[in-house]
Amino acid sequence: MSDEVIKILDALTERLGLAIDWSSSNVLPYFQELCNKYVTYEIVTSIIWIVIGITLLFCGRCLLKKGKYYTEEYKKEKHTDYNEIASLYKVGAVFIFFIGGLMIIMQIFDIATCITFPEKMIFRYLQNIYNSCK
């Protein structure tokens, strides 16, 4: 185990008032199992966010179709408010496409990090906990 990770864990346990003997034979396997569970949790939550992002893309597609419909209606009847409605639908669709696409891209990078370099995710999580304790 890295010395930096041990230092962070020691600082965390010290703040919580715990004393852990890292040389104990049962602590390290439990910590490794806990880290594996965290990486699996991170992958599963990333997949859930990707599904939400894909759902947003479908919603944006529906809004875009609705905007095109109102654009066609405006072409038929020039005196209506269909042009403004179509513009609102199209702006909403672009916004939703942006949010959904951004969510998908960010979560794909999280999954790639979890698969190739899980220690980075664990270290980032421990840093967040340590910074919140300060």
Side-chain angles (χ1 to χ4, degrees):
M1 189 178 332
S2 170
D3 288 335
E4 287 186 26
V5 173
I6 291 175
K7 287 178 186 176
I8 290 174
L9 290 172
D10 282 338
L12 284 173
T13 54
E14 183 181 317
R15 288 190 182 271
L16 296 173
L18 300 173
I20 296 178
D21 180 20
W22 295 105
S23 62
S24 177
S25 63
N26 60 353
V27 172
L28 191 59
Y30 175 71
F31 181 70
Q32 289 172 337
E33 181 184 338
L34 195 61
C35 290
N36 288 335
K37 285 182 178 184
Y38 175 72
V39 170
T40 303
Y41 166 78
E42 195 63 40
I43 290 172
V44 170
T45 56
S46 292
I47 290 171
I48 291 169
W49 281 110
I50 287 173
V51 170
I52 291 171
I54 290 170
T55 304
L56 283 177
L57 293 180
F58 281 119
C59 290
R61 184 172 175 241
C62 291
L63 286 178
L64 198 58
K65 282 184 177 182
K66 202 74 151 155
K68 286 181 182 181
Y69 167 77
Y70 280 114
T71 300
E72 294 299 320
E73 289 297 316
Y74 175 72
K75 289 178 183 177
K76 292 177 189 174
E77 305 172 25
K78 294 277 186 191
H79 64 280
T80 63
D81 292 332
Y82 286 149
N83 194 32
E84 288 83 13
I85 294 171
S87 296
L88 286 175
Y89 275 115
K90 289 177 183 177
V91 167
V94 168
F95 181 72
I96 288 177
F97 279 139
F98 178 75
I99 297 296
L102 193 63
M103 284 172 58
I104 291 170
I105 290 169
M106 288 174 56
Q107 297 309 316
I108 286 174
F109 281 113
D110 275 354
I111 290 174
T113 303
C114 284
I115 291 172
T116 58
F117 194 47
E119 295 87 4
K120 180 180 177 182
M121 297 301 286
I122 294 165
F123 190 69
R124 187 185 310 163
Y125 180 69
L126 291 174
Q127 275 183 326
N128 289 339
I129 291 174
Y130 181 72
N131 290 336
S132 68
C133 288
K134 283 185 177 179

